[in-house]
Structures are given as C-alpha cells and as structure tokens.
Amino acid sequence: MFWLDRLVEERIREAQEAGAFRSLTGEGRPLPPDDGGPSEVWAAYRILKKNGLLPDWLQLRKEIYAERALVRQAWDEYWRAVEECDRNDPGHIAILHRLAWRYRELARAINKKIDLHNLRCPSLGHELIRFPEDMIEREWHRRGESPP
C-alpha cells in the first residue's frame, strides 16, 4: 500500500500548492478534540456527528427511548383505573379492557422498533429488551387474581 500512500500525499501537496485549502473554516487553528480514538471509521463517524446524522439503529434507539415513556404511562394509567374501578359496573370494566388494549398496542408497536433495532445494531451488548405485551395478565396472575 506504499504506492497508495505516496499517491495520496502527492495529491494533497498539489492541492495545497494550488490553494485548495486556503480560507477554510478553522484554518490555522488546531482541530477540536474528538470523542473517539483512531479507528477505521473515525472519519465517517465524525462527518455523521458533525452533520447531526446517526446510523439507523441509533436513530431507532432515540425513538425507542422517547416512546417507552408512553408505554410506561399506559401501564400506570391502567393500574390507577384498577384502583378506582367498580368491578360490578360494566362501564368501568370496559374502560379497563380499553386501557389494557392500549398498553398491549403501544408495547407491540415499540417492540417492532426494538426488534428492528436489535437486528441492525452492531453487537449483542447494544440490544434492547422488549416490553412484555402480556404484562398486565402476568401481573394479575402474580397477584393471584383474575382480571376484571
């Protein structure tokens, strides 16, 4: 690869002599510190970061972190309704069924994103845990009760 290094150096020197690097932003100042150390993909990550772009799995991760609050909120809303519920009132039971359905749908939607994230992320250490879609039923079972 020595010939390639020489070719690159020669092209850089020719561009410098032609003035291609004059009046660039930050000319004459040291490069700002970088988060990552040297690696094969350093330049690519630096360009992505500078332009506010992320690999698709990291973009999915940001969306998942933002949306999981909605799933937790649906969970809390269901259990608040259980505490206020009159099990003899069909209207209250219908509300509980609707809230349970809402939790399952939100969990299902975020799990699709989690599955896609886990397929695209570079290692097992970056994978995210899915939300159990049947968590309400599991909680009722754990309590030794049946859902209304």
Side-chain angles (χ1 to χ4, degrees):
M1 288 301 247
F2 181 67
W3 64 270
L4 181 60
D5 294 335
R6 280 193 3 219
L7 178 65
V8 169
E9 290 295 326
E10 182 180 316
R11 294 276 167 91
I12 290 172
R13 188 179 38 74
E14 288 172 2
Q16 284 175 327
E17 289 171 1
F21 299 124
R22 289 193 196 117
S23 302
L24 293 176
T25 305
E27 180 182 14
R29 289 181 285 181
L31 290 173
D34 194 36
D35 297 339
S39 73
E40 302 147 357
V41 292
W42 173 83
Y45 283 141
R46 182 161 175 83
I47 291 168
L48 289 172
K49 183 179 177 183
K50 183 177 180 180
N51 292 297
L53 302 171
L54 292 173
D56 57 348
W57 68 275
L58 283 177
Q59 184 60 43
L60 275 169
R61 189 179 198 93
K62 282 178 70 172
E63 292 171 20
I64 291 164
Y65 276 106
E67 292 173 16
R68 63 186 191 173
L70 296 173
V71 180
R72 290 187 177 126
Q73 183 180 14
W75 170 265
D76 293 339
E77 190 175 358
Y78 175 83
W79 291 105
R80 274 194 306 274
V82 166
E83 291 173 7
E84 300 168 3
C85 175
D86 176 4
R87 289 187 177 219
N88 296 321
D89 183 349
H92 285 197
I93 300 304
I95 290 171
L96 287 180
H97 286 283
R98 176 78 172 142
L99 291 172
W101 175 85
R102 182 171 177 260
Y103 168 81
R104 280 192 299 278
E105 288 301 307
L106 287 170
R108 193 169 290 133
I110 201 168
N111 283 342
K112 285 181 183 178
K113 287 186 177 185
I114 290 171
D115 291 342
L116 189 57
H117 168 275
N118 290 348
L119 284 172
R120 293 180 177 176
C121 72
S123 72
L124 291 173
H126 293 294
E127 288 189 3
L128 300 174
I129 298 173
R130 301 176 93 241
F131 278 89
E133 295 168 22
D134 63 343
M135 193 63 176
I136 289 174
E137 292 79 9
R138 289 184 192 186
E139 180 62 20
W140 281 110
H141 181 72
R142 188 191 67 75
R143 294 178 178 202
E145 302 177 47
S146 61

